[in-house]
Amino acid sequence: MKNLLLALIVVFTFYNVTAQTSTYNDLLQKHVTENGIVDYKAFKKDEAKLDSYISYLEKTSPNDSWSENKQKAFWINAYNAYTIKIILDNYPLKSIMDIKKNGKTAWKIPFAKVGGKTYTLDHIEHEILRKELFDPRIHVGVNCASGSCPKLGNIAFTEENIDTTLEKLMKEFVNDSSRNKISTKRIQISSIFDWFKEDFTKNGSVIDYLNKYSDTEIKNSAKTSYLKYDWSLNGK
């Protein structure tokens, strides 16, 4: 009887996760373009569905029985869903930088509830994703709702798709000339590669990392500079 109960709990959890992620995926498909542009005005009308997904996050605690990919997908989805939520709560606005509460920026406001605990976006990104589930590609997964940020993917991450999706997003980001300007002897790249240099240089230089994805081979001697970051909202 005990084994049957445990099996039923596992099955219920699987279907609950799948159903809730499907709801979030449908919202992204509906309101985010292939280029990562978000129709926040239309998204606002569907806020009840987003709240349903957030209600699921509030009650769900990832645990060690989950694979690393499953945990990573869950936390990136949570980060992005709560980023969209805080934008909608303050919409209309021109930039996420306009959001302030008690002197704190959007990333430092404790409002993201997961598994009965309350987190800041910064904690999810830096303490959970970057430290516990390290992967440089996390930086194209989490989205800061801004023009220079790697585009917001319009599908939800899952245990099954996260590896291929992050690879695709990183390749698109590196080769996106509006976010990185790459030639053989000179590169003007996103400030993300400067701010989080330690994440991209675990196994070589930043240029080594870029060459894994770049359509243009960059020489090790290439002159490197960083582009000014555009914090304007990634919306229509």
Side-chain angles (χ1 to χ4, degrees), residues 21-199:
T21 305
S22 177
T23 295
Y24 178 53
N25 184 75
D26 290 346
L27 287 170
L28 293 176
Q29 288 276 292
K30 185 176 179 181
H31 300 301
V32 183
T33 71
E34 283 289 333
N35 294 323
I37 304 301
V38 186
D39 187 345
Y40 287 107
K41 188 175 180 180
F43 216 131
K44 185 81 177 168
K45 295 174 184 175
D46 261 344
E47 198 165 6
K49 288 182 182 177
L50 180 63
D51 288 345
S52 171
Y53 178 68
I54 283 174
S55 177
Y56 151 74
L57 295 176
E58 290 175 352
K59 300 168 189 170
T60 305
S61 298
N63 59 63
D64 292 339
S65 71
W66 289 21
S67 71
E68 189 168 303
N69 276 352
K70 186 174 181 179
Q71 292 180 58
K72 202 183 297 180
F74 176 89
W75 283 111
I76 294 176
N77 285 339
Y79 183 101
N80 290 340
Y82 273 113
T83 298
I84 293 168
K85 179 64 177 171
I86 201 168
I87 295 291
L88 295 181
D89 285 348
N90 291 274
Y91 194 78
L93 74 169
K94 293 183 178 179
S95 170
I96 192 171
M97 300 286 275
D98 296 336
I99 299 172
K100 296 281 193 303
K101 186 175 181 181
N102 299 325
K104 295 178 179 178
T105 64
W107 298 281
K108 297 188 182 301
I109 298 168
F111 78 101
K113 296 177 181 177
V114 178
K117 297 180 181 178
T118 302
Y119 300 90
T120 63
L121 292 175
D122 265 0
H123 186 94
I124 293 174
E125 180 179 6
H126 303 304
E127 300 302 319
I128 298 174
L129 285 166
R130 291 182 63 218
K131 280 190 181 177
E132 298 176 16
L133 300 164
F134 176 76
D135 181 339
R137 300 173 304 170
I138 281 166
H139 296 293
V140 295
V142 297
N143 189 270
C144 67
S146 303
S148 286
C149 193
K151 73 175 186 180
L152 174 63
N154 66 349
I155 60 169
F157 290 101
T158 66
E159 181 179 18
E160 294 76 24
N161 75 18
I162 188 162
D163 189 60
T164 55
T165 304
L166 288 178
E167 276 292 287
K168 177 175 178 284
L169 289 172
M170 182 61 80
K171 185 167 181 61
E172 288 174 352
F173 176 59
V174 168
N175 292 290
D176 181 346
S177 60
S178 70
R179 292 174 168 96
N180 295 284
K181 302 181 188 303
I182 291 175
S183 64
T184 302
K185 297 180 180 179
R186 176 182 170 85
I187 57 173
Q188 295 171 282
I189 54 178
S190 169
S191 293
I192 286 171
F193 293 110
D194 184 26
W195 298 335
F196 303 108
K197 185 174 285 185
E198 64 184 283
D199 292 1

Side-chain angles (χ1 to χ4, degrees), residues 183-187 207 218-225:
S183 64
T184 302
K185 297 180 180 179
R186 176 182 170 85
I187 57 173
I207 287 175
I218 308 162
K219 289 191 174 181
N220 288 328
S221 58
K223 185 177 179 182
T224 303
S225 59

